[in-house]
Amino acid sequence: MLDNMSTTVETASERSAAKVNQEIRALWLRSGGTLTTEQRAEYQRLVMEWAAVVPEERRAA
C-alpha cells in the first residue's frame, strides 16, 4: 500500500533539498502569495519531496 504512494517522491528525490526549496519559493513568487487549487497540489507535492530529501542529506553530512 505505501509502495504505490512513494513512487513520485522517490523519483523526484534525486534533487537536492535546496533545489526543491528553490522551486517552492518560485511557485510562491509566481502565485503572488495566493495559490490556486492546481498550484496548491504542486506545492504539496514539492513539500513532500523536500521532506523526503532533507533527512537523506542530513545522514550524508
Side-chain angles (χ1 to χ4, degrees):
M1 200 152 99
L2 290 175
D3 292 338
N4 291 337
M5 290 174 45
S6 65
T7 55
T8 302
V9 175
E10 286 175 356
T11 301
S13 69
E14 296 170 5
R15 301 188 299 168
S16 70
K19 181 67 177 166
V20 177
N21 190 34
Q22 182 180 30
E23 207 171 315
I24 291 169
R25 289 173 183 262
L27 175 63
W28 277 108
L29 285 173
R30 285 192 312 270
S31 74
T34 304
L35 299 176
T36 65
T37 302
E38 184 178 294
Q39 289 170 323
R40 187 165 301 193
E42 176 69 5
Y43 173 75
Q44 290 174 344
R45 185 193 65 76
L46 289 168
V47 169
M48 293 293 290
E49 180 181 348
W50 178 85
V53 175
V54 168
E56 291 176 13
E57 289 184 2
R58 287 187 180 154
R59 278 186 294 228

